[in-house]
Amino acid sequence: MPRLTPLLPLCLSLLACAMEPDDPVFLSGTALEADGTPWRGGPLILTRPLPIPTPPTTAPRMRFEPWAEVPPDANGLFLHRLTARDTGADDIRRPIPWAVENAFQLLLPPRADGGRDFYAFGLDRDSDVPPLRQWNSDVRAVEATGGVLLEWDAMPPIVDVPAPHYFVEARGPTGRAWLIRTAQQEAPWLGPELLEDFTDGHAHVQAFSAGARVWVHTSLYFFAVHDAPPFPLPIAGRVPISRGADCRGGTRVVSPCPFTDGRLEAVNVPGPPQALATEFTLILPQPARPRQVVIRGASVVGPPGQVLYVEGSVDGSDWRLLAKSAVLPDPTSGPYLDETNSDSGGQEYYVRLELPVDVPEVREVRVWFGVPTPGGGPPGFKQSLRTLREVSLFTAP
């Protein structure tokens, strides 16, 4: 079929015309060392996502696999040629192995220390990515009361890349143990109660930005991701007194309880038939005097401005308020994960609440979320809990 050359400028300006399958699509940019000099560490890696087999009832997932090498020159510049067939810019439907046709990652070569630096983006037509620079994070721990404060060097500013947010994770083999979203100037606290015995003993720090480069004929939307090397924490985890305890969502006792087993998966909170639970109760094997409550991965159905309430009882009938949190910041999405739609923990609350030293011994501890009425009065009702990962009780060290 002949090209419609006179109409090409109009097609491009309106983005209404497909390209021919073999038309070139160029990806360009600059790679930099941590000190800002041209990259000298070998070819960059361009990856694409392959689907991961999942059960029919599970959301689709995908895994990025290496697809091509992109060698920079002596000045760190690169120009990589693809085709419209590769990115789907020819608008021809054909069988493809990729989970998403125009999804790519561009990474600096793998690092022996486990750190990573890359862009994730959707590529259709010619695009120039912002400079890809290695992050020299220098994560370090400073001793603090009951644990440590984490510090690191900020990611240097990069043109067209917004200032990053920083995510700090503690991970276990079956899920996320703790998540903190912070600005660089804040030093987040980690302690034994947040690690427990189901983490790998490391802090995982990520600098994350979402940005865009917009041109006349096309746009590039990207994530800038910098994973610091896993940082070994100089503290050991602590097992809660609630490990293995029975629990109750609503009125039904659950044994064994999936929220006291240290496994960290997000599990539906059982409540009344055809309804979500509005409270969650731990039933201890014997009375104890709790001093800390740690909530991991609570998904709450409700508006912003939530407060966590903790109540205690000896017999499950008479309840006393033990403590309540300040108004919790809105839960935010978690750090970037390679396997999209995986168990990322987005929009979940992670809350640590210290109880007064004079709390009485209790056999049952009940937690729930609510939004105070104007003026700070008690909530009119309890918010529904969709899922939880873990609820842990600790006595004084």
Side-chain angles (χ1 to χ4, degrees), residues 77-100:
L77 303 174
F78 59 85
L79 181 66
H80 185 70
R81 185 185 190 277
L82 302 89
T83 66
R85 179 189 292 106
D86 294 328
T87 66
D90 58 1
D91 285 349
I92 297 176
R93 292 186 175 274
R94 58 172 64 89
I96 57 171
W98 317 115
V100 179

Side-chain angles (χ1 to χ4, degrees), residues 363-377:
R363 178 75 185 278
E364 299 189 16
V365 175
R366 182 168 69 188
V367 299
W368 53 278
F369 291 84
V371 178
T373 55

Side-chain angles (χ1 to χ4, degrees), residues 12 65 68-69 99 101 141 158 202 216 256 269 309 321 346 367 396:
L12 290 177
E65 296 287 350
E69 291 188 346
E101 189 169 24
I158 298 175
H202 291 75
V216 174
V269 182
Y309 294 82
L321 179 66
V367 299

Side-chain angles (χ1 to χ4, degrees), residues 292-316:
Q292 289 190 51
V293 177
V294 177
I295 306 291
R296 306 179 197 272
S299 176
V300 179
V301 181
Q306 298 289 335
V307 169
L308 171 66
Y309 294 82
V310 180
E311 300 172 325
S313 174
V314 174
D315 56 8

Side-chain angles (χ1 to χ4, degrees), residues 10 12 18 56 58 75 94 120 173-174 210 221 238 291 294 296 313 316:
L10 177 62
L12 290 177
T58 304
N75 295 315
R94 58 172 64 89
T174 56
Y221 298 92
R238 183 181 174 205
R291 287 297 312 281
V294 177
R296 306 179 197 272
S313 174

